Amino acid sequence: MNRFVFKKSDLDTPLVNYDQSLLVAFESLLREKKKQLESRKTLSMQIRHLLLGSFQGQITHIDIVASSLFMTTRTLQRNLSDENTTYRTICNDLRRELAHGLIKAGRNNKSQIAGMLGYSDLSSFNKAFRSWEKT
């Protein structure tokens, strides 16, 4: 028999509310970023384009991105190294840009933004945000 077992405290965790205006602002931001990236052809820009196209609250795993670009993960990492960047850096920069865009759009609280960007909780998002802002 298959089953899920949850702690009672996990079931009491509040869920991020569905907010249509936040979803519209987020999709608009994703489309705008994709258009900006279409004109650039570096590998890191191709990766950003792929990530924006498949973004559903979680960053796509590097193995899937490498496969989409018809290369091995290690080849992808070496090619990114030639561009003086890493997959993690690209992902973090993308999340930072999306967070800033959602904050500028207004009407969004930080826990909703954290949920949309795939952070497990608000404290993880706050920690990442502080590191981006160097505060």
Side-chain angles (χ1 to χ4, degrees), residues 4-108:
F4 291 105
V5 178
F6 296 98
K7 294 184 283 184
K8 179 160 177 27
S9 61
D10 292 337
L11 296 174
D12 293 333
T13 304
L15 298 175
V16 175
N17 293 334
Y18 177 75
D19 182 354
Q20 185 65 32
S21 65
L22 177 61
L23 182 61
V24 169
F26 188 63
E27 288 176 345
S28 172
L29 181 63
L30 287 175
R31 280 192 304 276
E32 179 185 323
K33 291 285 181 192
K34 263 180 95 170
K35 284 180 186 177
Q36 290 173 355
L37 294 174
E38 286 174 354
S39 63
R40 302 175 189 163
K41 295 298 179 190
T42 64
L43 179 60
S44 56
M45 290 300 129
Q46 289 176 13
I47 291 170
R48 289 171 61 88
H49 185 70
L50 280 171
L51 292 174
L52 285 170
S54 63
F55 193 83
Q56 298 291 321
Q58 294 292 323
I59 297 290
T60 306
H61 194 274
I62 188 171
D63 295 337
I64 296 170
V65 171
S67 177
S68 298
L69 295 170
F70 305 105
M71 59 180 75
T72 66
T73 302
R74 183 65 190 120
T75 300
L76 176 66
Q77 291 169 330
R78 275 194 303 272
N79 291 342
L80 287 174
S81 178
D82 291 343
E83 293 184 13
N84 295 319
T85 192
T86 65
Y87 185 72
R88 182 175 298 208
T89 301
I90 293 169
C91 294
N92 288 338
D93 288 347
L94 185 61
R95 276 184 163 168
R96 178 182 46 79
E97 290 173 23
L98 292 173
H100 282 289
L102 289 170
I103 289 169
K104 285 180 186 175
R107 302 182 321 268
N108 308 315

